[in-house]
Amino acid sequence: ILNVEQSPQSLHVQEGDSTNFTCSFPSSNFYALHWYRWETAKSPEALFVMTLNGDEKKKGRISATLNTKEGYSYLYIKGSQPEDSATYLCAPNAGGTSYGKLTFGQGTILTVHP
Amino acid sequence: NAGVTQTPKFQVLKTGQSMTLQCAQDMNHEYMSWYRQDPGMGLRLIHYSVGAGITDQGEVPNGYNVSRSTTEDFPLRLLSAAPSQTSVYFCASSYTTTGFPYNEQFFGPGTRLTVL
């Protein structure tokens, strides 16, 4: 079982603030890292899948970076809006024949206040 | 496409009862998995399958059985329900592309199970 840690556990920001949170994972045997957004009473939805060291992905105001050598990824939200309130989950992939096997961190709960 | 569907949405069982949670996907995805979500525990993998006829255990498999007879369906069976299995259960599917198996997972709407 991979040890995946996300910090902070929760975060409260004001509308318009920019924010970021961290996902730490084992750097050995790295294959890919997923980020998901999970709104209350809904299902998790994929934001990014990242594989290359130094990779940076962007979707609207949300972006993510990846450092596979040191085992961490940052998720950034620029100009937070109330609709960004959600739990953000990261999950590294297992490899080999378990390629679809994800180990999720406990998530960062983001609340954006109007 | 309906995507990933799960039935039922809600279920209440008594300790010792058995039941099957249904999961189906219409995207022809090879990979399917079952997670449970508990407060403070995140999503934990129960069982997964990389194709019809192939299943394997995840992090918390005890008390659950799965089989995958078709690409579309991946039912989760609770053999003898226990209060510790009270949880929200999510099914997910994913796909492979040439040379890249690490694609995003698509989640179903979840089944909320209470065991009394």
Side-chain angles (χ1 to χ4, degrees), chain A residues 88-100:
Chain A
Y88 292 83
L89 299 169
C90 71
N93 260 104
T97 57
S98 302
Y99 61 83

Side-chain angles (χ1 to χ4, degrees), chain A residues 38-51:
Chain A
W38 192 1
E39 293 182 70
T40 302
K42 294 188 177 180
S43 304
E45 291 184 345
L47 287 171
F48 308 113
V49 179
M50 308 172 76
T51 58

Side-chain angles (χ1 to χ4, degrees), chain B residues 4-17:
Chain B
V4 181
T5 58
Q6 292 183 236
T7 56
K9 289 188 177 180
F10 302 95
Q11 183 70 51
V12 179
L13 292 178
K14 294 181 179 179
T15 297
Q17 287 184 314

Side-chain angles (χ1 to χ4, degrees), chain A residues 1 31-32 34 36 38 41-46 49 51 89 93-107, chain B residues 30-31 33 35 37 40-43 45 48 50 56-59 90 95-96 100-110:
Chain A
I1 299 173
Y31 295 92
H34 297 228
Y36 289 82
W38 192 1
K42 294 188 177 180
S43 304
E45 291 184 345
V49 179
T51 58
L89 299 169
N93 260 104
T97 57
S98 302
Y99 61 83
K101 187 175 177 180
L102 297 182
T103 300
F104 283 89
Q106 293 194 15
Chain B
E30 303 94 327
Y31 180 84
S33 56
Y35 297 91
Q37 184 238 336
M41 303 291 286
L43 284 170
L45 183 64
Y48 66 100
V50 298
D56 204 350
Q57 296 181 349
E59 184 183 350
F90 287 95
Y95 59 99
T96 60
F100 190 80
Y102 310 118
N103 293 294
E104 70 270 25
Q105 295 198 1
F106 294 81
F107 284 81

Side-chain angles (χ1 to χ4, degrees), chain B residues 34-49:
Chain B
W34 277 101
Y35 297 91
R36 59 178 289 174
Q37 184 238 336
D38 303 295
M41 303 291 286
L43 284 170
R44 292 184 293 169
L45 183 64
I46 305 171
H47 286 284
Y48 66 100
S49 169

